[in-house]
Amino acid sequence: MGDWFDLAGAARFLGTPEETVTRWVRQGLLPCRGSLPQVRFEQATLERWSRERGLRRSASRAADPQLDDHDLLAGAVARGAVGRVRAADAAAAIEAALAQLPELPDEARSDLLEEVLGRERMASTGLGHGFAIPHPRRPPGRWIDQPAVSVLFLEEPLDWAALDGEPVHTVLLLLSPSVSVHLELLARVSMVLHDEAIRALLTEAPEAERLLALLRDMRRDA
Amino acid sequence: MAESRWSHAAPLRRVLELLEAREEGWTRIFPTAVLVGLLAGALALGLHAGTHGLQELLAPWLEGPAVLALPALGALAGSWVVVRLLKEPPGHGVPEVVRAVCREGGRMHPRSIVSRWLGSLLHVGAGGSAGLEGPIVHSGAAVGAFVGERFHLDERRRGVLVACGVAAGIAGIFNAPLTGLAFSMEIVLAEVSALSLAPVALAAAVAAGLARAAQGDSPAFEAPMELSLGTADLVLCLVLGVACGLVGVALTRGVRAGHTLGERLYLGRVGTPAVFGLGVGLVGLLELRALGDGYPLIQDAIGDGVSGPALALLGLFTLKLAASSLSLGSGAPGGVFAPSLVLGALTGVLFHRAVAPWVPVAELAPVGSFALAGMGGLIAATLQAPLTGILLVMEVTGGYGASLALMATSVTALLVARRFEPHSIYMRVLQEAGDLLRPGTDQRILADIRVRECLDGEVVPIREGMTLADLVRAARRTTRNHFPVLDADEGLVGMLELSSVRELMLDPELARVTLVGTVMEDTVAALPADADLASALARFDELGAWVLPVTEGSRFLGLVSKSTLFGIYRNELRMQTSDA
């Protein structure tokens, strides 16, 4: 027989306020049964009515589920890698950061290397205070469907043409599937790097488990 | 002496000046309306005379076996003139008139004055089962457009002159000015206001006057008595109205079926009328009276009914329906008005036959009255122009005594027909093409406004290679939230919404290290500059966006925001619905 809505249900269905639906009923514009305020609407009729009039319920942008993740950064590091290396220069360091990522097909690796190096050539990703965040020029949705961070501690700090002129000792290679995830990841990275305690720990080049534990303890907007 | 004369002239001149200034061009419309009335009226008389002359000329052949081929030849010749010689689309022409007013500012090609005029003369004169009214409407409309162009009138007044031509054509053909006015109003005239009705009425009156001068006072059909449908017949008329409504739907669908069949057979725009004409010829073999515009048949029906057994009458009815569907569906030049009248008259006659055994003779109106009521009903049903139908019958019979019964039939027929066909046979074509746009309506306004008229002024473009820190500086120059990202050739490569990167911008180190190119939206749907507002709004809805970029080819032009659109729409609404 079909579903029936009451006033509130019809308003929700049509995506308009109850006051509007009430007015439409009073003006005879909306097919319904009964009289206000106990008026009832048949779902199939409402569907046809709104379709005939081309009424659009405003499209709601689906929220990216990945952004709600409290452990976004920790998860990204867990999916990525933590390691240390002695590299000759920035390019070699970037290559090493990519190399230590698990389960990355060769084609992806070479493509990503080109993208990240290309980005680095446009402008240095050396933030200052000894950190650098190399990343591809556009989020590589083609190769990546979940964010990954490759943490590389440099045994010898390297010149990275950083903003404050300081050599870089910690490299965080960021890989995100989309712009929105990349922005969120950057926000978490920003939090981490502004935290004195974490910054100090990072200079000690900790082991993966310790780093992950620290990141998980860190709460967003704490 | 001289002084006093001047002192009289001055206020008069002043009044004329005021009139001209206030009405801005309305005064030119009256003399041009008269001109259009004369020309269109003359065309109507000429077409009528020419077609019936040809019919008489061909009469001896039509009564023999040649009737099989004659309608086909007529349809072939008529379509050839319209489609190949004068290069116009096939059909009876009324939708084109409405489109000219709605969409093209009252512009029609001068060759339209002649195209369907000649085409229908050949087609209907040789036996095609169609009417001359549609083609005359088309001719008259083209005359109006031509005069409007010559006298440099603007689109709105040209539209009124087109309506004048339409009214004059109908008025001339039926010797019925009110009918012409009603038809023009109901079908063609985009706006109904005192200032637009007056010229149309004038043109109709002039054309009817011309017809009267040429043919004497007699109307198109001789009604032997005043229409004697009293209130007692009211119930019967309601039932007749239902029957008329159904017949109208049958005719509309029959024509549409003919049209669809024609398209499926791929015979071409001249081939289809020719082949369908053979079908018409076949009908002619069985029942000659089903051919042509059918005016003699109407005359019989109004007079003392159509003689013959009921079954034969039913056969005639069916054959006329079939022949009209073929003739009209094929796209040969000819209108649906006359076939509607014929079928309406036949419906009335059949109704009378059916009802007569059950109603006492003294109380039943004569068959001619029912034929007339049926005619009004069919016009209401097929053309969905009830006023035209009612007025035609009234003017033809020269009497208004049966107005209640006529209205009952017409309105019932209209309601029944609309249940099955929401648009008239004329309008459906336009509705489907999205061309039925009356001025001052929402659809029209949205179709009129182009996206390029709605561009937001201050737009600060940014480049992919800029950092977010640079963006912070750029953002200071504007209050806007959306930035287009352009490449070296000013082509659009992406959009950046400030709110999406707000947090990041507040971190100076990250801001200096993040490039616009990395965080911009690169799959951007751009609106073409020439798109109309209707399609632009559909886009906004689809994407759930509030701001969209506009491009011309690959070049970025500006941004359009949904919020400014409302102000622009409001302005346009005021412009299009003002009284002046």
Side-chain angles (χ1 to χ4, degrees):
Chain A
M1 280 311 275
D3 288 329
W4 287 84
F5 292 128
D6 64 359
L7 188 62
R12 259 195 311 274
F13 180 79
L14 294 170
T16 53
E18 272 185 47
E19 285 81 3
T20 305
V21 177
T22 309
R23 178 170 57 79
W24 283 341
V25 168
R26 217 179 325 113
Q27 290 178 315
L29 294 171
L30 198 50
C32 60
R33 292 280 181 83
S35 53
L36 289 168
Q38 276 88 20
V39 62
R40 280 156 50 237
F41 309 85
E42 194 182 3
Q43 179 173 352
T45 312
L46 277 190
E47 263 168 17
R48 184 171 41 86
W49 180 90
S50 77
R51 203 180 347 113
E52 279 170 4
R53 278 154 192 73
L55 279 190
R56 294 176 185 278
R57 289 114 83 174
S58 42
S60 48
R61 281 209 188 96
D64 194 334
Q66 288 181 354
L67 301 179
D68 267 342
D69 186 358
H70 288 298
D71 288 331
L72 184 67
L73 188 52
V77 173
R79 236 172 276 119
V82 179
R84 57 190 56 72
V85 82
R86 180 181 296 273
D89 58 16
I94 289 172
E95 198 165 348
L98 271 173
Q100 70 177 9
L101 283 170
E103 295 169 18
L104 205 60
D106 285 334
E107 199 194 343
R109 220 182 289 274
S110 59
D111 189 48
L112 286 171
L113 180 64
E114 214 180 295
E115 291 288 310
V116 176
L117 289 177
R119 165 63 184 84
E120 200 64 41
R121 275 191 290 271
M122 290 173 77
S124 164
T125 57
L127 290 178
H129 303 288
F131 293 98
I133 51 163
H135 52 270
R137 198 178 63 79
R138 288 290 300 171
R142 188 179 167 206
W143 304 117
I144 306 288
D145 48 40
Q146 293 214 288
V149 175
S150 179
V151 182
L152 196 63
F153 299 111
L154 301 177
E155 300 196 352
E156 248 309 319
L158 290 173
D159 172 37
W160 210 279
L163 296 171
D164 59 359
E166 295 286 319
V168 161
H169 55 72
T170 305
V171 173
L172 300 164
L173 180 81
L174 307 176
L175 296 171
S176 316
S178 69
V179 167
S180 43
V181 172
H182 183 76
L183 288 170
E184 193 58 35
L185 201 57
L186 280 178
R188 310 290 174 100
V189 165
S190 165
M191 259 183 67
V192 162
L193 298 182
H194 281 294
D195 187 316
E196 288 277 355
I198 302 187
R199 266 219 313 259
L201 177 73
L202 284 172
T203 54
E204 292 169 28
E207 292 296 327
E209 299 83 45
R210 208 166 142 221
L211 180 59
L212 282 172
L214 200 69
L215 290 175
R216 287 202 185 98
D217 282 340
M218 188 185 78
R219 281 277 158 264
R220 178 112 172 80
D221 290 334
Chain B
M1 221 40 204
E3 201 139 32
S4 66
R5 235 185 299 156
W6 276 120
S7 65
H8 284 304
L12 183 64
R13 201 169 50 226
R14 183 104 174 84
V15 166
L16 278 174
E17 265 168 19
L18 275 172
L19 264 180
E20 267 277 0
R22 175 85 181 96
E23 303 302 352
E24 290 165 7
W26 282 116
T27 44
R28 253 183 306 169
I29 253 235
F30 290 97
T32 45
V34 170
L35 182 60
V36 170
L38 285 171
L39 293 173
L43 280 171
L45 291 172
L47 182 58
H48 202 83
T51 308
H52 288 169
L54 185 59
Q55 276 176 342
E56 272 171 33
L57 195 67
L58 294 175
W61 280 279
L62 280 172
E63 277 151 27
V67 73
L68 193 61
L70 274 173
L73 287 172
L76 179 65
S79 306
W80 185 84
V81 165
V82 173
V83 172
R84 293 262 177 271
L85 187 63
L86 293 168
K87 302 205 175 28
E88 288 205 339
H92 47 80
V94 175
E96 279 77 28
V97 172
V98 179
R99 185 183 288 125
V101 173
C102 282
R103 271 288 205 183
E104 278 141 44
R107 273 181 198 83
M108 291 178 75
H109 203 283
R111 70 178 174 223
S112 296
I113 300 178
V114 175
S115 61
R116 265 163 252 265
W117 192 95
L118 193 53
S120 63
L121 192 152
L122 293 168
H123 177 218
V124 178
S129 181
L132 300 168
E133 301 75 16
I136 248 305
V137 158
H138 191 86
S139 265
V143 167
F146 178 74
V147 171
E149 181 78 38
R150 280 276 158 274
F151 283 79
H152 304 292
L153 293 178
D154 61 74
E155 284 186 4
R156 199 163 167 192
R157 272 96 189 176
R158 261 209 299 264
V160 172
L161 277 189
V162 166
C164 287
V166 168
I170 293 283
I173 269 215
F174 291 117
N175 199 341
L178 287 179
T179 307
L181 178 60
F183 182 88
S184 190
M185 243 176 59
E186 283 184 306
I187 309 276
V188 169
L189 198 56
E191 53 169 307
V192 177
S193 69
L195 287 176
S196 54
L197 279 185
V200 176
L202 188 57
V206 165
L210 194 62
R212 211 152 287 193
Q215 295 171 343
D217 245 2
S218 59
F221 307 111
E222 289 268 11
M225 80 244 78
E226 207 176 280
L227 191 59
S228 59
L229 283 169
T231 335
D233 298 293
L234 207 51
V235 173
L236 290 171
C237 280
L238 284 173
V239 180
L240 177 61
V242 173
C244 289
L246 295 173
V247 171
V249 171
L251 179 60
T252 307
R253 293 202 174 165
V255 172
R256 194 178 310 142
H259 189 77
T260 316
L261 182 64
E263 284 185 337
R264 293 246 176 85
L265 292 176
Y266 290 111
L267 295 165
R269 287 180 302 171
V270 177
T272 316
V275 171
F276 280 26
L278 286 175
V280 175
L282 198 61
V283 170
L285 269 179
L286 298 167
E287 180 64 82
L288 189 57
R289 290 175 296 175
L291 261 46
D293 59 0
Y295 277 27
L297 192 53
I298 296 175
Q299 191 58 67
D300 281 342
I302 298 175
D304 48 11
V306 181
S307 54
L311 219 55
L313 225 54
L314 207 52
L316 172 58
F317 178 91
T318 316
L319 287 171
K320 180 68 184 174
L321 186 57
S324 303
S325 302
L326 284 172
S327 284
L328 293 168
S330 72
V336 72
F337 204 107
S340 300
L341 290 176
V342 173
L343 286 171
L346 289 176
T347 307
V349 170
L350 282 166
F351 184 78
H352 185 266
R353 288 276 184 105
V355 161
W358 310 96
V359 180
V361 170
E363 292 181 19
L364 186 64
V367 61
S369 304
F370 280 100
L372 284 164
M375 284 161 65
L378 247 294
I379 295 296
T382 314
L383 275 56
Q384 297 195 2
L387 199 58
T388 302
I390 294 170
L391 282 173
L392 178 62
V393 174
M394 282 186 186
E395 283 190 296
V396 156
T397 59
Y400 305 90
S403 32
L404 195 56
L406 266 180
M407 279 189 231
T409 311
S410 295
V411 171
T412 319
L414 177 65
L415 289 174
V416 168
R418 275 184 75 118
R419 174 73 183 72
F420 297 94
E421 294 287 325
H423 295 284
S424 77
I425 200 171
Y426 292 146
M427 299 311 182
R428 196 188 155 108
V429 169
L430 292 173
Q431 178 73 7
E432 282 171 355
D435 278 341
L436 193 58
L437 305 167
R438 308 289 203 187
T441 60
D442 177 64
Q443 279 178 305
R444 173 63 181 268
I445 292 172
L446 291 179
D448 278 348
I449 305 179
R450 304 276 131 189
V451 165
R452 65 166 78 244
E453 297 171 46
C454 311
L455 296 175
D456 274 346
E458 31 147 343
V459 166
V460 176
I462 54 179
R463 313 280 161 187
E464 284 184 273
M466 286 168 65
T467 66
L468 288 190
D470 300 327
L471 179 61
V472 168
R473 278 191 286 279
R476 284 205 205 104
R477 301 206 316 261
T478 174
T479 50
R480 308 285 181 199
N481 196 27
H482 292 79
F483 294 84
V485 185
L486 306 181
D487 63 16
D489 299 314
E490 308 298 312
L492 185 69
V493 290
M495 285 281 286
L496 188 54
E497 196 182 331
L498 218 52
S499 42
S500 65
V501 294
R502 195 180 302 132
E503 256 188 78
L504 214 50
M505 289 198 310
L506 300 175
D507 180 334
E509 277 136 17
L510 274 178
R512 272 180 291 188
V513 144
T514 306
L515 296 184
V516 163
T518 305
V519 294
M520 72 182 182
E521 191 65 53
D522 70 348
T523 51
V524 169
L527 292 171
D530 282 321
D532 65 20
L533 217 49
S535 53
L537 281 175
R539 234 7 179 355
F540 273 110
D541 282 342
E542 228 182 292
L543 300 169
W546 282 92
V547 174
L548 284 178
V550 176
T551 52
E552 182 154 45
S554 56
R555 199 166 60 94
F556 171 79
L557 279 190
L559 298 179
V560 168
S561 77
K562 217 170 169 187
S563 32
T564 19
L565 288 184
F566 179 65
I568 293 174
Y569 177 86
R570 273 280 281 157
N571 273 343
E572 190 68 27
L573 185 65
R574 275 193 223 117
M575 283 299 286
Q576 288 206 12
T577 52
S578 71
D579 251 347

